[in-house]
Amino acid sequence: MIGSKEASFIHTDIDNGKKNKLQLVDTPIHSWYQFVLGYPPHLVKYYLSKFNIHRGNLVLDPFCGTGTTPVECMKCGIANWGIEANNMAYFASTVKTNLALDPSELSDTLGFIVQSANYSFNYHHISDGIAFLTPLESQQDPIIIKEIPRLTEEQEKIIPAGFISEKPLYKVQILKTIIDTIEDNEVRAFFTLSLANLIVKRAGNIGFGPEIYRKKAKVDIDALSYYSVNTDHMIQDIKLFKNGRNISNIVHGDSRDVNSCLNSDLKGKIDCVITSPPYPNEKDYTRSTRLESVLLGFIQNKQELRSMKENLLRSNSRNIFVNDTDGEYVRKFESIEKIADEIEEKRIRMNKTSGFEKQYHKIVRHYFGGMLLHLKTLKPFLSPDAKLAYVVGDQMSFFQTYIPTADLLGEVAESLGYKVSEIELWRTRYATATSRSIDENVIILENQ
Ligand SMILES: C[S@@+](CC[C@H](N)C(=O)[O-])C[C@H]1O[C@@H](n2cnc3c(N)ncnc32)[C@H](O)[C@@H]1O
């Protein structure tokens, strides 16, 4: 037995249903742009404390998403590294861990953006409700965007239908064109991230449940009041942490090969890993970030989308490719083979013949094979007493076959010389498809 499902709930003071929610005290910086599939900062705090990690230690999140672990470490003054393969999430993490911006310069630039957008909207006879806002001051002369840029055919093809309506799209495109004129890369990135927030929370016809879904089409939005209030909050956060240091390094890379992401001088130096990789299920992480990724230019066409997917851990039928070989590395694990075989047998018995369904059994093998490669290439970078926390959910997405993700990951880790010290229950989630509760656990590993 490698872990105990009877292990006590962590964070007993928080209701199961609220465990994954951002707490009010944590909103600064974390709220700038978030992932529906991310975990909350209080989980990171819990493990930093449990593992006794302080300033002077080094933390890594190899699947850092929108930067919850790096941002929380930065707030605590703990040096850290993050690795992320999704362009949009990588970008968000880099912006959220950059405190070296001048708040008064940012306020001035915000004034320039909002005034320029206001003039541009007027030029195109687009109303926006800016009149209700106190005008923002700026030293910079506003500009007017006369040509509203259009999406290319290629871009349109990869945005799911109905995710954004025409008028909100115009407003986003005008704002983006103005922001793109900012010369300083870091300042431009800051304002671009606020635009990502506007796209997800205001402009798009999208909701998360936790899958992304299309909501009722919005005819129009109050783009400038939302953008200015949100960006001003971000500037206040920068002021709040003005004595903070930039101690995060975010790498755009594939954590199945940690060697290709981290410099060799980090070997033996990482004291702690707090992370959550994708789970083996049908969630396509690139779809949850697709709208803003395309509108902000992080993915231009199908080829770029595909090459991004190729760098992701194989976890759903939308990112399995013919030349994939990760599954070969876990052939010796009977438990993994048994589950993969059971899925394929069910598919044949149920006469399910879609291309996606035929991939299901492969996902299980490639997923754990990818995690094996990750843990193997990570090991040389760990300090002798390193502690690792991996948040992973059990799954039943493939013909309701139960996948005990944490237990299987534990077997893989033990085969590489890690010790599984504990499996803690983080929360339970009710799966409507199966009318069952399934566990999301934290598997604690020790380097040895
Ligand atoms: C569960 S999310 C992590 C969310 C993160 N904890 C947060 O709070 O935002 C998993 C992340 O792993 C990333 N990912 C998947 N495969 C990867 C790989 N091979 N290398 C690096 N990142 C990867 C996904 O893009 C996704 O952002």
Side-chain angles (χ1 to χ4, degrees):
M1 180 65 182
I2 54 172
S4 166
K5 289 294 176 57
E6 282 78 50
S8 57
F9 266 92
I10 49 181
H11 308 302
T12 43
D13 52 332
I14 306 173
D15 271 5
N16 183 58
K18 293 190 182 143
K19 279 238 172 101
N20 234 40
K21 298 256 177 324
L22 181 67
Q23 296 184 328
L24 195 58
V25 63
D26 291 324
T27 48
I29 306 182
H30 285 294
S31 64
W32 289 5
Y33 173 88
Q34 276 184 296
F35 229 5
V36 65
L37 301 164
Y39 53 44
H42 55 259
L43 180 139
V44 179
K45 269 192 257 227
Y46 174 86
Y47 283 104
L48 288 175
S49 152
K50 180 170 175 132
F51 297 158
N52 207 11
I53 298 296
H54 301 288
R55 282 166 196 247
N57 288 129
L58 192 57
V59 175
L60 168 73
D61 184 343
F63 302 93
C64 75
T66 61
T68 309
T69 299
V71 170
E72 200 47 40
C73 288
M74 177 182 76
K75 284 183 173 184
C76 299
I78 300 167
N80 60 87
W81 285 74
I83 304 173
E84 175 53 51
N86 175 318
N87 307 2
M88 178 65 225
Y90 160 74
F91 172 76
S93 285
T94 57
V95 178
K96 288 167 77 177
T97 50
N98 181 11
L99 298 174
L101 294 171
D102 174 0
S104 55
E105 189 194 325
L106 294 174
S107 294
D108 188 76
T109 306
L110 177 60
F112 159 75
I113 294 169
V114 173
Q115 280 185 25
S116 303
N118 195 22
Y119 285 139
S120 305
F121 290 174
N122 285 341
Y123 179 86
H124 293 283
H125 309 289
I126 297 172
S127 62
D128 195 64
I130 185 74
F132 298 108
L133 280 179
T134 316
L136 293 160
E137 307 262 313
S138 176
Q139 302 291 320
Q140 305 167 58
D141 291 334
I143 55 173
I144 297 180
I145 304 302
K146 297 191 172 159
E147 293 282 322
I148 300 184
R150 303 282 157 160
L151 291 180
T152 63
E153 253 179 56
E154 290 284 310
Q155 286 175 310
E156 275 178 3
K157 274 189 208 153
I158 50 175
I159 298 180
F163 268 25
I164 189 162
S165 315
E166 198 178 0
K167 213 161 167 190
L169 176 62
Y170 279 163
K171 292 184 176 181
V172 168
Q173 296 281 76
I174 288 174
L175 275 165
K176 176 171 186 316
T177 312
I178 296 164
I179 293 167
D180 283 348
T181 65
I182 299 170
E183 276 174 23
D184 184 301
N185 289 342
E186 293 180 12
V187 174
R188 188 170 65 249
F190 178 85
F191 288 101
T192 303
L193 189 66
S194 181
L195 186 56
N197 184 309
L198 173 103
I199 293 169
V200 177
K201 300 254 182 75
R202 206 60 152 204
N205 304 319
I206 52 176
F208 298 91
E211 290 296 357
I212 189 165
Y213 63 93
R214 196 176 67 203
K215 294 214 294 207
K216 192 165 168 264
K218 289 172 190 155
V219 178
D220 200 1
I221 52 159
D222 54 341
L224 294 190
S225 53
Y226 184 91
Y227 188 79
S228 6
V229 170
N230 181 60
T231 315
D232 191 52
H233 278 147
M234 291 170 62
I235 297 172
Q236 298 313 318
D237 291 349
I238 293 274
K239 278 189 195 155
L240 201 63
F241 289 95
K242 69 175 187 307
N243 295 325
R245 289 175 306 125
N246 280 2
I247 45 174
S248 307
N249 297 279
I250 312 293
V251 178
H252 193 203
D254 179 348
S255 276
R256 290 172 302 165
D257 180 9
V258 178
N259 277 309
S260 68
C261 305
L262 301 183
N263 287 333
S264 57
D265 56 5
L266 283 173
K267 287 204 169 150
K269 303 249 170 71
I270 290 167
D271 303 305
C272 167
V273 172
I274 303 174
T275 195
S276 174
Y279 310 157
N281 57 23
E282 272 303 85
K283 288 193 177 72
D284 176 358
Y285 285 75
T286 69
R287 197 174 151 89
S288 355
T289 52
R290 187 79 56 82
L291 182 62
E292 63 275 30
S293 297
V294 178
L295 296 184
L296 298 177
F298 295 114
I299 311 172
Q300 308 273 6
N301 50 46
K302 271 191 180 159
Q303 289 72 24
E304 287 184 11
L305 177 60
R306 186 190 158 108
S307 46
M308 188 171 95
K309 285 184 175 185
E310 282 174 343
N311 283 335
L312 299 173
L313 197 65
R314 304 301 186 255
S315 63
N316 67 81
S317 55
R318 268 87 180 159
N319 78 338
I320 295 280
F321 303 96
V322 276
N323 294 330
D324 283 346
T325 54
D326 291 359
E328 294 305 317
Y329 297 92
V330 288
R331 284 283 178 191
K332 64 173 185 193
F333 293 89
E334 276 175 26
S335 46
I336 297 171
E337 283 292 299
K338 199 167 157 236
I339 290 172
D341 288 345
E342 190 183 328
I343 291 171
E344 182 61 354
E345 278 158 23
K346 279 191 191 167
R347 181 189 72 78
I348 295 166
R349 211 170 42 244
M350 293 159 82
N351 200 20
K352 301 276 187 187
T353 54
S354 82
F356 295 122
E357 289 161 329
K358 284 182 182 166
Q359 306 294 341
Y360 286 178
H361 69 114
K362 295 186 196 162
I363 297 168
V364 176
R365 294 189 172 100
H366 291 318
Y367 174 82
F368 288 103
M371 285 306 292
L372 181 143
L373 292 172
H374 159 66
L375 289 169
K376 190 175 175 182
T377 54
L378 169 68
K379 209 155 190 294
F381 290 91
L382 299 173
S383 66
D385 303 323
K387 301 262 191 312
L388 304 84
Y390 282 73
V391 183
V392 284
D394 290 350
Q395 296 298 319
M396 294 191 72
S397 302
F398 308 126
F399 310 125
Q400 305 199 2
T401 311
Y402 179 61
I403 306 176
T405 313
D407 286 349
L408 297 177
L409 193 58
E411 273 189 53
V412 169
E414 283 184 334
S415 78
L416 296 166
Y418 290 90
K419 178 178 169 215
V420 179
S421 64
E422 212 178 334
I423 295 183
E424 289 190 290
L425 182 60
W426 162 238
R427 61 174 183 153
T428 53
R429 288 167 307 136
Y430 186 73
T432 18
T434 53
S435 310
R436 260 187 75 162
S437 279
I438 46 178
D439 295 345
E440 201 165 7
N441 297 297
V442 187
I443 174 165
I444 317 266
L445 305 175
E446 284 173 24
N447 190 22
Q448 54 173 21

